[in-house]
Amino acid sequence: MRKRLLTFIFSLASAILFAGSLGEQNFKQKTAIPANLDSSFVWENGVLKCSLPSTPDGVKFIKQGVRTDVPLSLAGHLVEFSADARWIDAPAEGWKKQGNIQFAIYCKNNKTVWDGIRITPAQKKWTSYKKIIQIPADMKLFRLVIGFENACGSFEVRNIELKDLGMPVDIPKYANRAIRDTVAGDGKGGWIDQGPTQDGRAFEPAFRGNFISGAPFNIPDTRFDRNAKCIMVMRSATRNPNGILEQEIPVPPTKANYLYVLHALCYPGANGTSAGRIIVTTESGTRTELPVVVGRDLGDWYNGKSVTNGSDALRVKGRQAEYVLYATRYALPQTDKKIVSVCFISDNEDKIWIIAGATLSENKYELAAVPKKQPLIIKANTEWQPAIRTKSYHYRQPGSILDVT
């Protein structure tokens, strides 16, 4: 009975934590190293006021603040932290003047991931901050601390939120190609094995952001390893025989209403034809098959056109053309059963299916297409008039629209 009660309390705490803004009810714990410093952390009308007036001499490490722990159920998820903060001018003596919003993620392999946001005296006006965090799947503790570390001063924080964006499908773990290709036609890739002038490197800056066309994706940053395999390029019997024919990817049990996929085709063929299938499996064994259709869900990555059930999420200027990736939202059956795997299956014909990312989420994100470039047209109107040319060529005629005397 006690175990059930503890489970219920933990579930309720998780629900409270993600019901909206985090406030005083969430930050019940304090961090005080050393314990006797004159620090203050007070909530007033939804604003957390943080103050550490001084740091004493002879102390090697100081950490003062309030903290909360994120539920273990978010292991593996993409989470968005957001808050408003500002620095308060007040007397402060000692070490550097700085406040911290710190994320400490402790993993089961004894590795600790650190991240955070700094508030400095330069930020005297309310400033909005957002940070997207990929929580490792082997997370054993995620601690959020607001306060000071080896620093002092005063600052305020409000509108603290922590949102679950979704569960990324681990494409990189099963990837067979890098984003860049150095040698065309060697059968190794990356991308579609057509060499450096027709690979995916132009997408890399956008991949470093976690939102693409309004949907969350987690694509590895390959700046420090250009040969890292992080995308899946599916098999085509005629054009890419070394690709992946079928790949099932396990996911931690996840509730989701939608599957978002970031993908494109090479040699797409006619609209309405099939490019492949996606099979989503729940813990009960129920399988949902999602057809991948040309012109509806995705199109050509090379000068591709818009589609009806997705967004031409990324349009970038490549070396030879405009390169495109599409974000597609697939609705999943409403069920209380959690999803345990996502399987991608190629039709194994002429089309080459490129899969850059996928995310399961309970949230419905509205996908926004890249705005189309419009030509600049100037017509005669109240602002624009034809220049009057006189016998003296380009001299302005008195009283004309060009007369500024």
Side-chain angles (χ1 to χ4, degrees):
M1 178 67 183
R2 184 180 178 186
K3 184 176 180 181
R4 291 180 183 175
L5 181 60
L6 288 173
T7 302
F8 171 76
I9 291 172
F10 180 79
S11 299
L12 182 60
S14 300
I16 292 173
L17 181 62
F18 289 94
S21 298
L22 305 186
E24 185 175 3
Q25 75 277 11
N26 305 104
F27 291 89
K28 292 294 185 183
Q29 304 177 74
K30 287 191 176 182
T31 296
I33 305 171
N36 59 349
L37 287 190
D38 184 22
S39 61
S40 174
F41 301 91
V42 179
W43 290 90
E44 186 177 306
N45 298 323
V47 177
L48 174 61
K49 300 176 179 291
C50 308
S51 175
L52 179 59
S54 64
T55 54
D57 294 333
V59 177
K60 293 184 178 180
F61 180 76
I62 292 172
K63 190 164 187 174
Q64 303 282 310
V66 292
R67 68 178 190 261
T68 188
D69 293 341
V70 174
L72 291 175
S73 58
L74 286 178
H77 286 236
L78 273 177
V79 172
E80 180 186 76
F81 173 86
S82 62
D84 300 335
R86 68 177 177 181
W87 187 262
I88 302 297
D89 277 333
E93 297 180 357
W95 296 355
K96 60 187 175 183
K97 312 301 185 290
Q98 178 178 287
N100 278 343
I101 301 173
Q102 187 181 78
F103 315 112
I105 306 173
Y106 302 90
C107 302
K108 294 176 183 177
N109 61 359
N110 294 323
K111 180 181 178 181
T112 303
V113 179
W114 299 93
D115 205 342
I117 297 166
R118 295 176 179 176
I119 299 97
T120 70
Q123 295 148 320
K124 293 181 174 62
K125 294 183 179 180
W126 283 111
T127 304
S128 296
Y129 297 89
K130 280 189 179 182
K131 200 167 194 66
I132 296 177
I133 307 157
Q134 167 70 63
I135 302 179
D138 64 344
M139 182 250 310
K140 64 180 181 182
L141 176 65
F142 181 171
R143 179 156 287 171
L144 169 59
V145 182
I146 301 178
F148 303 90
E149 183 170 318
N150 294 341
C152 61
S154 298
F155 68 98
E156 296 178 345
V157 186
R158 68 183 184 186
N159 298 333
I160 308 166
E161 292 189 0
L162 204 55
K163 296 179 182 177
D164 180 10
L165 302 179
M167 171 69 78
V169 180
D170 198 355
I171 300 289
K173 185 175 181 179
Y174 299 88
N176 62 329
R177 294 283 175 86
I179 294 172
R180 296 189 176 205
D181 187 25
T182 55
V183 181
D186 63 356
K188 300 177 182 179
W191 206 249
I192 51 173
D193 198 24
Q194 293 184 352
T197 62
Q198 295 192 63
D199 63 11
R201 69 186 66 199
F203 295 117
E204 288 175 336
F207 286 167
R208 294 174 202 139
N210 291 104
F211 271 90
I212 297 174
S213 186
F217 295 99
N218 187 49
I219 302 171
D221 186 347
T222 58
R223 279 177 290 184
F224 304 106
D225 185 1
R226 298 298 191 187
N227 297 317
K229 294 179 179 179
C230 60
I231 62 169
M232 294 199 313
V233 180
M234 307 303 283
R235 190 177 193 274
S236 161
T238 57
R239 300 183 186 275
N240 188 41
N242 295 327
I244 297 172
L245 180 61
E246 178 177 337
Q247 182 63 65
E248 183 172 17
I249 301 178
V251 297
T254 303
K255 288 192 69 177
N257 299 320
Y258 303 96
L259 171 67
Y260 297 87
V261 183
L262 185 66
H263 53 173
L265 293 170
C266 184
Y267 307 107
N271 285 349
T273 58
S274 174
R277 295 170 291 148
I278 304 170
I279 297 176
V280 179
T281 304
T282 67
E283 56 192 350
S284 66
T286 303
R287 291 156 55 95
T288 300
E289 183 171 314
L290 306 169
V292 180
V293 180
V294 180
R296 186 193 71 175
D297 303 321
L298 77 176
D300 199 338
W301 86 285
Y302 192 95
N303 281 332
K305 298 179 179 179
S306 299
V307 296
T308 58
N309 181 44
S311 160
D312 43 337
L314 284 182
R315 285 186 177 271
V316 297
K317 185 177 181 180
R319 294 192 183 184
Q320 294 191 342
E322 187 176 58
Y323 299 156
V324 187
L325 283 175
Y326 300 83
T328 308
R329 182 183 63 226
Y330 295 97
L332 301 174
Q334 301 295 308
T335 175
D336 59 352
K337 300 299 181 184
K338 294 181 179 179
I339 293 165
V340 295
S341 74
V342 178
C343 184
F344 299 89
I345 305 172
S346 169
D347 274 358
N348 197 28
E349 295 177 349
D350 269 2
K351 304 174 181 68
I352 302 176
W353 184 15
I354 307 162
I355 305 169
T359 302
L360 291 161
S361 181
E362 293 187 86
N363 305 322
K364 185 176 183 180
Y365 298 103
E366 296 300 331
L367 304 178
V370 175
K372 299 296 186 295
K373 295 179 181 179
Q374 300 295 330
L376 175 62
I377 300 175
I378 299 175
K379 294 181 178 180
N381 54 30
T382 55
E383 295 183 15
W384 294 92
Q385 291 290 322
I388 299 175
R389 294 197 175 197
T390 64
K391 291 182 179 179
S392 55
Y393 299 102
H394 296 289
Y395 293 150
R396 290 170 291 194
Q397 185 178 32
S400 74
I401 196 171
L402 297 180
D403 184 0
V404 293
T405 59

